[in-house]
Amino acid sequence: MKTRRFGRTDLPAEQAEAMRKAIGIEVFTICYTTVTITLIALVVGSSQAMRTAWIEDMLSLLPQIAFLVALIFIRRRPSRSFPFGMHRAMGVGHLVAGVALLIVGGNLAVEAVSGFIRAEHPTIGTVNLFGVTIWQGWLMMGVMALLVIAPPFYGRYKAKLAGPLHNKLLHADADMAKADWQTTVASIVGVAGVGIGLWWLDYAAALFISLGILWDGWRNTVKAVEDLIDKRATTYDERSVHPVIVDVLRLLRGTRGVRDAAVRVRDLGQVLHVEAFVVPRRGRIDVDELERLQHRILGLDWKMQDVVVIPVSSLPPEATARVDGS
């Protein structure tokens, strides 16, 4: 899958290369996770913690699948039916993944708590391996210890790619991968608890893992909904207002014929939609000047997909008017 364009925006070389790497690491992650799901299935046994970790592994595929499916749509050019393009597809995928995590995480938490209340003692038997009988818990812990290694590495790799691409779904996926070691360690603790007679530790580990899934689901759902209802554009990690807002305001306020200016910028997923309001210095501004301003704003950043410049007599109060981002 090659992606060199988002809608009508041709990707710069850096972003095209980052997208190629992002697609590669997402495909790799799907293959890797499929192998880990199979391995866990072979040893899962009756441990609630192992079962929860197994389901968590399956759910971890959702962000990668949503990312790759959304790419098919956001590459399409705008049309009369979809005049803004299909950039929201990435946000829709983000929302679907978040809601799925939320629902399944909640169910798993209820199962862990109800199993503890019913005092159902999980049992882990023995297995004959190459003529030797061993406790199955050793296999469970061995497999989980092996699987703890890779996610932090590819999580950090994805996080590096999320910035240049301004992709919040990829950033959320990276965060989940970096935190995946906690799930793995919790499952090992749960199995070890059963081995030493602390049966409740298995349910405690399962609850810990399910709460992690719930948190991932809640966080991703909230972020996806905020973007879909046009929250002011922020950086891909949501830490601050997007710096391009400040750049647009500086450009507008530095224009000779503009007395005052404000902007509304919405995040369409990969690209931004900018509405720039300008108060002309002498009460009027010609069309050529408006078009020049539009082209200069488009030239500020590759993410500028749709820019409109609107002459007004007074600025909308909800628009951002100060260069400190407030």
Side-chain angles (χ1 to χ4, degrees):
M1 181 187 295
K2 292 183 178 179
T3 300
R4 298 183 181 279
R5 188 184 68 229
F6 292 153
R8 68 166 70 96
T9 300
D10 291 325
L11 292 179
E14 179 189 357
Q15 278 66 36
E17 178 64 12
M19 180 53 73
R20 186 186 66 78
K21 292 178 179 176
I23 293 171
I25 192 64
E26 293 294 58
V27 171
F28 167 80
T29 306
I30 290 174
C31 296
Y32 175 84
T33 307
T34 302
V35 173
T36 65
I37 290 169
T38 305
L39 283 175
I40 297 174
L42 294 174
V43 299
V44 66
S46 62
S47 164
Q48 183 67 29
M50 284 294 293
R51 182 171 172 273
T52 308
W54 186 36
I55 295 173
E56 192 273 346
D57 239 28
M58 295 183 206
L59 292 173
S60 70
L61 288 171
L62 287 174
Q64 295 113 50
I65 294 172
F67 177 86
L68 294 175
V69 171
L71 280 183
I72 297 172
F73 295 96
I74 66 173
R75 291 183 303 173
R76 297 179 181 176
R77 291 183 182 277
S79 63
R80 287 186 178 175
S81 298
F82 296 94
F84 298 100
M86 295 188 173
H87 302 287
R88 296 289 198 196
M90 194 63 74
V92 172
H94 195 180
L95 179 62
V96 169
V99 171
L101 289 168
L102 203 57
I103 294 173
V104 179
N107 284 335
L108 291 172
V110 170
E111 279 188 27
V113 172
S114 59
F116 175 78
I117 292 173
R118 291 195 300 269
E120 294 175 348
H121 292 215
T123 56
I124 299 176
T126 58
V127 61
N128 190 287
L129 195 64
F130 304 115
V132 180
T133 301
I134 60 174
W135 181 53
Q136 195 175 354
W138 292 120
L139 287 179
M140 296 177 181
M141 291 191 287
V143 167
M144 298 310 286
L146 188 65
L147 301 183
V148 78
I149 300 171
F153 288 101
Y154 63 66
R156 277 193 282 272
Y157 185 67
K158 290 180 183 183
K160 287 182 181 177
L161 298 173
L165 292 172
H166 184 64
N167 192 295
K168 294 179 180 178
L169 179 55
L170 189 61
H171 182 258
D173 186 20
D175 268 356
M176 289 171 61
K178 284 190 288 186
D180 204 40
W181 67 271
Q182 297 170 353
T183 296
T184 308
V185 171
S187 64
I188 293 173
V189 170
V191 173
V194 176
I196 60 177
L198 301 176
W199 62 271
W200 55 267
L201 206 51
D202 190 50
Y203 291 106
L207 181 60
F208 176 82
I209 296 169
S210 57
L211 290 178
I213 299 171
L214 263 176
W215 171 241
D216 284 337
W218 172 255
R219 188 179 49 172
N220 283 290
T221 300
V222 169
K223 288 181 178 179
V225 168
E226 285 180 344
D227 280 341
L228 289 174
I229 60 175
D230 291 338
K231 179 187 176 185
R232 182 170 60 175
T234 63
T235 53
Y236 69 96
D237 54 7
E238 305 271 353
R239 290 184 178 174
S240 61
V241 174
H242 200 292
V244 79
I245 293 177
V246 177
D247 294 338
V248 174
L249 283 173
R250 283 178 177 155
L251 186 154
L252 294 173
R253 290 174 183 278
T255 302
R256 181 178 297 177
V258 174
R259 180 165 59 84
D260 205 356
V263 294
R264 290 194 305 208
V265 180
R266 61 165 67 98
D267 193 333
L268 297 180
Q270 298 284 164
V271 296
L272 305 176
H273 180 192
V274 179
E275 293 175 327
F277 301 92
V278 294
V279 179
R281 191 172 294 279
R282 296 178 180 174
R284 63 171 58 185
I285 187 168
D286 61 41
V287 174
D288 289 341
E289 182 62 25
L290 291 176
E291 288 184 348
R292 278 194 292 273
L293 277 174
Q294 182 192 37
H295 289 302
R296 289 174 65 192
I297 294 171
L298 284 168
L300 284 175
D301 197 291
W302 69 271
K303 290 186 284 295
M304 300 295 196
Q305 174 84 141
D306 285 297
V307 175
V308 291
V309 183
I310 309 162
V312 292
S313 57
S314 61
L315 299 175
E318 70 277 7
T320 301
R322 293 170 54 184
V323 293
D324 60 2
S326 60

